[in-house]
Amino acid sequence: MLIPLSEATQETCGGKAGTLGTLVRAGFAVPDGFVVPFDVPLDVPLDVHGLVERRPAAGADRSDADVPLSSPLVDALARGLRALGDPPVAVRSSASGEDTALASAAGQHESVLAVQGPDAVAHAVRTCWASLHSPRATAYRRSSAHDAPEGGASMAVLVQRLVDADAAGVMFAPAAPGGVTEIEASWGLGSSVVEGRVAPDSYRVRADGTVERTVGRKGMRLDRRGAGVVATPVGADDRGRAVLDDTITRRLAHLGQRVVETLGGAQDVEWALAGETLWVLQARPVTADLPSWSSVPAPPAQDPGAGVLTGTPGSPGAATGPARVVRDASDFSRVRPGDVLVCPFTDPAWTPLLHVAAGVVTETGGVLSHAAIVARERRIPAVLGVARATTSIPDGSIVTVDGSSGTVATRASTSAHPAPPANA
């Protein structure tokens, strides 16, 4: 019923698990685990929204968390966990059409970290299954011209030993010999980087081993505490200190080139550092080129008195439209086609907004975060890491976002497109 990660292939276990299986067989340090493959029957009925249907028992309305999986699957999960030593694990999606050369589906399905015990893992497996038909995953698939019919989407689920990372992040490893390796890093678990919750350190490693770095504002870190993940503030000393030294940075770049040689083509690699070991957590083809930073163009001419904010170029191009400040899900209904999304960060649940927004401005996040990847796939400009953007940019003001230069220019709104009411 379950497939060891070392035997996983894309045909049976999806892109994420299949690629990691290839890397395990090639001798890379990949956390051990197993996969619930495509052909395991979905025991839990899903409603039209992709949510687990409730099953009343003894006249009582049971919550989604109470709906059981089949006994054979739960027993198989228990055996798989015992073989790993019953550690805390990461339970991750591995869907068809995910992590391919045509579409990353970055952040579109669920991952559940620091899960321990068969019952908790069974619940997390169900969560991953249900996320296949979540609004954000459905919107992503429908926006992709290459997508297979909706009914053809399938979900496998990867269960891996969780790495208690000292530092982690994302790396773009180039296919061309002599290319530059781009790395983003922060303290603790890498979800703070991929979800855009911090402004990470950025590193560029050239073919001759030269390392260039920019130290980011790493205000928080995520770490496992027992069977859960907690966020804690980063102290002033660590916030201003580089996460990686040159030796580790070069080791990462070399690791990236080995992944490229094994898989072929430029690769987006999620990694974790625990002690002296560099772990590969995920690898997928790069689906859209990064903005070029070899020469930053001058900001466009602005009206007198217009304000210009700067950040990190995240997705190239330029767009002008009304700023729509979005701080949480309660603001989603206020976003209209053509608006420029201005937000603290773009959680993966916000992906449907990227299908209507003309551009994106965030207060945190790096160029390798999930939101930046999806923005590049959608070909909408994005500027990331603009400090205090949600308070500096008035809602409804006219904004020009230039994702190539990393600039955001604002001026007072003269448009007939006023800000919709908060409860619209």
Side-chain angles (χ1 to χ4, degrees):
M1 180 174 283
L2 304 181
I3 295 178
L5 182 56
S6 60
E7 299 175 13
T9 65
Q10 294 193 20
E11 292 73 20
T12 61
C13 300
K16 184 181 299 176
T19 298
L20 288 177
T22 297
L23 295 177
V24 169
R25 294 187 289 274
F28 287 81
V30 176
D32 195 14
F34 55 84
V35 187
V36 182
F38 291 142
D39 62 3
V40 171
L42 178 60
D43 305 278
V44 181
L46 304 180
D47 66 18
V48 294
H49 302 292
L51 303 176
V52 179
E53 293 179 354
R54 296 184 174 187
R55 293 180 182 175
D61 190 25
R62 305 177 74 184
S63 71
D64 294 347
D66 295 327
V67 180
L69 298 184
S70 71
S71 294
L73 178 53
V74 174
D75 291 345
L77 292 173
R79 290 193 298 273
L81 293 170
R82 283 196 298 272
L84 295 177
D86 290 316
V89 295
V91 181
R92 310 168 67 197
S93 68
S94 185
S96 59
E98 184 177 20
D99 292 357
T100 71
L102 295 175
S104 66
Q108 302 313 298
H109 305 114
E110 291 293 338
S111 292
V112 188
L113 304 182
V115 187
Q116 194 160 18
D119 290 341
V121 170
H123 184 279
V125 168
R126 184 171 60 246
T127 298
C128 289
W129 268 342
S131 72
L132 181 66
H133 300 292
S134 68
R136 71 178 187 249
T138 301
Y140 181 90
R141 287 195 298 271
R142 287 176 177 170
S143 71
S144 301
H146 62 273
D147 183 35
E150 183 67 21
S154 301
M155 176 68 76
V157 181
L158 170 62
V159 179
Q160 284 181 285
R161 185 185 301 272
L162 182 71
V163 174
D164 287 322
D166 301 313
V170 185
M171 164 172 54
F172 272 28
V180 175
T181 300
E182 308 278 357
I183 301 170
E184 290 184 342
S186 192
W187 304 112
L189 300 176
S191 46
S192 65
V193 178
V194 299
E195 294 176 3
R197 294 176 180 267
V198 296
D201 290 356
S202 298
Y203 304 81
R204 307 184 80 204
V205 186
R206 301 187 181 278
D208 63 1
T210 302
V211 177
E212 303 170 4
R213 71 164 58 88
T214 301
V215 177
R217 305 184 311 274
K218 306 172 291 291
M220 56 82 76
R221 61 181 290 163
L222 298 174
D223 297 278
R224 181 183 66 84
R225 294 287 185 272
V229 174
V230 298
T232 56
V234 173
D237 290 345
D238 283 342
R239 195 178 307 142
R241 179 165 65 92
V243 172
L244 307 176
D245 61 27
D246 286 358
T247 299
I248 293 294
T249 305
R250 294 188 185 102
R251 282 181 58 198
L252 266 173
H254 178 67
L255 175 65
Q257 284 308 302
R258 289 179 53 215
V259 172
V260 168
E261 291 167 3
T262 301
L263 301 178
Q267 294 292 316
D268 167 1
V269 181
E270 292 183 23
W271 56 271
L273 174 66
E276 294 299 314
T277 302
L278 285 171
W279 296 91
V280 177
L281 306 182
Q282 185 170 332
R284 59 183 167 216
V286 172
T287 54
D289 292 337
L290 298 177
S292 173
W293 297 322
S294 58
S295 59
V296 176
Q302 304 299 329
D303 294 340
V308 178
L309 305 175
T310 59
T312 300
S315 180
T320 298
R324 196 63 59 222
V325 177
V326 174
R327 293 185 173 87
D328 56 42
S330 66
D331 292 326
F332 283 12
S333 62
R334 302 175 60 243
V335 180
R336 298 178 178 179
D339 284 350
V340 173
L341 181 63
V342 181
C343 51
F345 63 94
T346 50
D347 183 276
W350 297 24
T351 298
L353 301 182
L354 300 183
H355 301 302
V356 299
V360 182
V361 180
T362 70
E363 293 182 325
T364 62
V367 71
L368 308 185
S369 67
H370 286 161
I373 292 170
V374 174
R376 290 192 292 273
E377 289 181 349
R378 296 289 302 155
R379 293 180 173 83
I380 61 173
V383 178
L384 314 170
V386 179
R388 298 179 294 280
T390 60
T391 55
S392 300
I393 300 175
D395 190 75
S397 62
I398 302 303
V399 173
T400 297
V401 52
D402 190 325
S404 300
S405 66
T407 59
V408 183
T410 64
R411 67 179 185 269
S413 174
T414 59
S415 168
H417 185 172
N423 295 322

